[in-house]
Amino acid sequence: MDSSSTRRQATRQKLYEAAVTLIAEQGFSATTVDEIAERAGVAKGTVYYNFKSKTELFEELLRHGVGLLASSLRTAADTTAERGGSKIEALDAMIGAGLVFIDRYPAFTQLYVAELWRTNRAWQSTLLVVRQEAVAVVERVLREAVEGGELSDEIDVPLTAAALVGMVLVAALDWQAFQPERSMDEVHAALSRLLHGRVGGR
């Protein structure tokens, strides 16, 4: 990557961080390009140089954020496989990776969860694509667990994958908003017990 594209990536990262914080604080409609530029410490023209519109910036923000989440989930699953762990252990490691991601990017997570329930947005199709990217990582591990006999072949893989992702997202947001005195290890342990008892059938 040459220095100009590295600079451009750094600028886009600043814009993502500014946009996600502002939009989480005050909503998409109320957030202006001027405010995003000011928060990012760049000229307004820089926003339009990188993104055609505020909507495009938001779509790319969704892609970027969920891409990071999916990548961290994949890494957790692959690392578990490399050390000979079971698929249930891989799912447990993915719960941990999801919690680390949410703890690191709480504003993005709040935004993503809020946007999932809106149906009239210009970026609805983008949201469906990026949601599937994250859920597909979990689906793959669940399918492998069924094929390997670790899980019952009666489970509905797409719904179970969506339920696991949803469980981690909502539990983590609840933790941050209402139970911040808890440690990440406590939250992970509670979700891990749920995984082993309800999904692993143990």
Side-chain angles (χ1 to χ4, degrees):
M1 193 182 279
D2 63 34
S3 60
S4 64
S5 58
T6 305
R7 269 199 311 275
R8 189 160 188 226
Q9 268 311 114
T11 301
R12 287 169 82 95
Q13 184 65 40
K14 273 194 225 165
L15 291 170
Y16 289 143
E17 287 169 8
V20 74
T21 310
L22 285 163
I23 295 167
E25 283 171 4
Q26 58 194 32
F28 179 80
S29 302
T31 300
T32 66
V33 171
D34 282 348
E35 287 174 309
I36 293 170
E38 186 182 344
R39 180 72 66 98
V42 301
K44 183 178 177 180
T46 303
V47 182
Y48 290 116
Y49 174 73
N50 284 275
F51 305 99
K52 288 197 292 283
S53 64
K54 186 173 71 165
T55 296
E56 187 189 83
L57 166 56
F58 190 72
E59 286 194 343
E60 289 303 314
L61 167 63
L62 288 171
R63 288 184 193 279
H64 175 72
V66 177
L68 288 175
L69 172 60
S71 176
S72 69
L73 295 177
R74 267 192 297 274
T75 299
D78 293 345
T79 302
T80 306
E82 283 161 16
R83 64 169 175 76
S86 68
K87 298 303 174 190
I88 298 293
E89 286 171 328
L91 290 166
D92 198 23
M94 291 161 91
I95 288 173
L99 290 173
V100 168
F101 175 88
I102 294 161
D103 191 51
R104 188 172 175 192
Y105 304 107
F108 174 80
T109 307
Q110 288 164 15
L111 201 55
Y112 173 70
V113 171
E115 289 301 322
L116 277 178
W117 308 117
R118 299 184 199 275
T119 54
N120 58 345
R121 295 296 208 199
W123 50 79
Q124 191 65 21
S125 58
T126 299
L127 196 58
L128 291 173
V129 170
V130 297
R131 173 209 165 273
Q132 188 52 34
E133 183 186 354
V135 174
V137 183
V138 184
E139 282 185 16
R140 173 175 65 86
V141 176
L142 284 171
R143 282 204 181 86
E144 289 169 355
V146 171
E147 287 161 9
E150 279 188 60
L151 291 178
S152 163
D153 60 8
E154 292 176 6
I155 71 164
D156 183 317
V157 169
L159 265 181
T160 304
L164 284 169
V165 172
M167 173 182 81
V168 175
L169 286 171
V170 175
L173 289 177
D174 188 272
W175 159 44
Q176 292 176 337
F178 303 114
Q179 306 180 63
E181 71 285 353
R182 291 184 176 275
S183 69
M184 189 186 297
D185 286 345
E186 281 181 278
V187 179
H188 187 180
L191 298 185
S192 181
R193 279 192 288 274
L194 202 55
L195 169 73
H196 284 85
R198 301 290 180 269
V199 180
R202 292 179 189 165

